[in-house]
Amino acid sequence: MMPNERKSGKITTDARVKAGGNDPQIRALWRKRCADFWREMNIYLRDVVRSGFPGFVLLFAIVASIGYGQILKGITSDFPQAWITVPVLTVALASGRPRTFLKDADTMFLLPAEYRTSGYFQAGFRYSLFINAGLAMAATIVVWPLYAHVKGSEAVPFGWLAIMILLLKWSNLLASWHESRMTAKPARIVYTSVRWGLNGIVMAALFHYGMLPGAIAALLAVIVTGGIIAAAPKHRIAWSYLIELEKRQLARHYRFYSWFTDVPHLPAQAKNRTWLMKPLTRIVPMKQQHTYLFLFTATFVRGELFGIVGRLSAVAALIVAAMPGTGAKAVAFGIALAITGVQLTALAEYHRHVFWLKLYPASEAQRIPAAAGIAGAALLVQAAVLAAVWACSPGGPAWPAALAVAGGVAWAAAFRALLARRLRRKQQRAS
């Protein structure tokens, strides 16, 4: 409370807002929550890096950029570039919301001090603007070569285009914040739809007619959205809605990282996958000595590890198909099998501390060959799938794909033996 406000015996709303905007405790809370978020994300990012996914992405980006350049050489000036540039930049501009890092408990502890939280949300807006502006500029850089190639000398200079994109991104993020304050859900839906549509119109005017029509369309769009915001009933801060949005943001992060590692924040769910589970379990004889083989088969097929391996295989198949030349395909093929092998080593860690397995009359010695066998079989299937994609991809002979199958078989067998050996040594050290 300000000294002059103590003397007057009352606190005006403007004074509260002004004081709250510079509240050091509120700003410290924002910094702490942001740091906690990235500290947690860094743990998962290390797993992503160890999986080799960034290398895959880099390899794919290099191949895509080479292919992009080759495609541009065959495009003429009558190509309808706006059908590509407009949707891409509309999504880049209209998507994204300010991050708040709010928690459920904030309705109890921060809500009473709402007038002091302006600095908190300002920090969140700046943080979100930095990230979203970077993504918007990345999208602009991607579509710029196509736009400039088609338009030639009529193209808007990149500097002016970048300035306009950044200003539009700032206005969209600000509009998104005011959208979150609307009291009625139908009003938010209508407003969001209008905002996305106006962004599409602005981008169409910019990329089809030029800078001046685009700027006029942008000004009119700001006026329209500003009028809708002013007319709609709003909360000062919609705490419950912002907390729900933050939960969705975190869930998206966790779902992405679950592609590469187990995420404790996501509940472990066994998938049915009866289409695969039934034929596989029929192959495994129903005998006591095959208990762990049946268990690890079901664990792999119905667990998240199957999804991780499947997604890695899908990405690898796209890269193998897109790679020019036998050597590049072979490198992508080998990297894919190596990365999948790293992921499959986690299979043996499942059920290690399950109490009920110690009561079941199954030998612990069965665990290691069962886990290693399932991991090796999964690698073998992946090698066969990638080799089939290789054989069907155009632009080269099919015989290297046959050699890839042989290499995949050798790698799967070697991996199975190495994993079993590693698990036995680990078991001996533990005992």
Side-chain angles (χ1 to χ4, degrees):
M1 186 179 297
M2 303 298 287
N4 58 340
E5 294 168 347
R6 290 196 188 99
K7 292 178 182 179
S8 64
K10 64 179 181 179
I11 303 176
T12 64
T13 302
D14 291 341
R16 285 181 171 183
V17 173
K18 185 177 179 180
N22 295 317
D23 193 311
Q25 291 181 329
I26 294 295
R27 292 182 178 275
L29 177 63
W30 160 263
R31 290 192 295 269
K32 180 181 182 303
R33 287 188 174 179
C34 185
D36 290 343
F37 168 78
W38 281 108
R39 190 177 299 112
E40 181 186 10
M41 292 302 109
N42 284 336
I43 296 173
Y44 300 122
L45 283 171
R46 286 197 291 269
D47 291 330
V48 174
V49 172
R50 281 196 292 267
S51 74
F53 182 73
F56 255 17
V57 172
L58 179 61
L59 197 60
F60 184 77
I62 293 173
V63 174
S65 62
I66 295 173
Y68 192 12
Q70 295 297 323
I71 291 172
L72 288 179
K73 292 179 180 179
I75 290 178
T76 59
S77 59
D78 59 348
F79 182 81
Q81 52 82 25
W83 288 98
I84 297 175
T85 55
V86 170
V88 169
L89 286 180
T90 297
V91 173
L93 290 174
S95 60
R97 297 180 182 275
R99 291 298 302 272
T100 60
F101 300 119
L102 290 179
K103 303 178 183 296
D104 287 323
D106 290 337
T107 55
M108 179 69 69
F109 297 103
L110 280 185
L111 179 58
E114 184 177 284
Y115 69 93
R116 299 171 53 198
T117 58
S118 59
Y120 182 96
F121 293 108
Q122 288 169 8
F125 185 84
R126 289 192 294 269
Y127 165 89
S128 304
L129 180 61
F130 177 78
I131 294 177
N132 282 273
L135 294 174
M137 286 308 304
T140 306
I141 292 171
V142 169
V143 301
W144 166 257
L146 173 62
Y147 168 69
H149 179 82
V150 172
K151 285 291 187 177
S153 59
E154 298 179 0
V156 176
F158 182 80
W160 287 109
L161 180 62
I163 292 173
M164 188 168 183
I165 293 296
L166 290 175
L167 289 174
L168 287 171
K169 188 63 203 183
W170 172 81
S171 63
N172 269 275
L173 203 61
L174 184 62
S176 178
W177 165 253
H178 288 296
E179 170 196 321
S180 70
R181 298 171 56 210
M182 293 181 178
T183 56
K185 183 178 179 181
R188 285 199 299 267
I189 295 174
V190 171
Y191 174 74
T192 303
S193 302
V194 170
R195 184 166 61 85
W196 276 72
L198 290 174
N199 274 283
I201 293 172
V202 171
M203 289 297 98
L206 177 63
F207 284 97
H208 191 72
Y209 296 106
M211 185 67 183
L212 182 59
I216 294 173
L219 180 60
L220 293 175
V222 170
I223 294 172
V224 171
T225 54
I228 296 175
I229 290 172
K234 296 180 291 297
H235 299 288
R236 186 170 185 273
I237 297 173
W239 292 92
S240 298
Y241 181 65
L242 290 175
I243 290 170
E244 181 62 29
L245 286 180
E246 187 61 28
K247 288 180 179 179
R248 294 178 195 171
Q249 293 266 27
L250 284 174
R252 282 193 285 269
H253 281 285
Y254 291 143
R255 281 196 296 270
F256 170 75
Y257 293 125
S258 69
W259 285 30
F260 310 97
T261 185
D262 290 326
V263 179
H265 296 279
L266 292 177
Q269 296 180 348
K271 311 293 184 181
N272 286 329
R273 295 186 178 125
T274 53
W275 57 274
L276 183 60
M277 191 64 195
K278 282 186 178 180
L280 285 180
T281 51
R282 286 173 183 170
I283 297 174
V284 180
M286 297 296 291
K287 296 181 180 180
Q288 185 176 344
Q289 61 265 34
H290 297 126
T291 299
Y292 277 104
L293 183 62
F294 185 94
L295 177 63
F296 280 114
T297 300
T299 300
F300 174 70
V301 172
R302 301 188 64 193
E304 182 59 30
L305 190 58
F306 181 86
I308 293 173
V309 173
R311 289 185 287 264
L312 285 174
S313 300
V315 174
L318 289 174
I319 294 176
V320 168
M323 280 295 177
T326 301
K329 289 181 184 294
V331 170
F333 183 89
I335 292 175
L337 292 182
I339 293 173
T340 303
V342 172
Q343 296 296 323
L344 287 170
T345 56
L347 182 63
E349 301 300 322
Y350 285 84
H351 311 300
R352 284 191 62 194
H353 305 292
V354 176
F355 171 74
W356 299 109
L357 287 176
K358 301 186 184 301
L359 299 180
Y360 193 84
S363 174
E364 181 68 18
Q366 298 173 10
R367 168 189 290 275
I368 292 175
I374 296 300
L379 274 176
L380 187 59
V381 171
Q382 185 190 52
V385 170
L386 294 182
V389 172
W390 188 342
C392 295
S393 60
W399 63 264
L403 291 179
V405 172
V409 171
W411 166 238
F415 176 81
R416 177 179 177 177
L418 291 172
L419 179 59
R421 182 180 178 184
R422 175 188 168 190
L423 293 174
R424 289 192 183 95
R425 286 183 176 178
K426 188 174 182 180
Q427 189 178 56
Q428 291 172 358
R429 286 196 299 267
S431 60

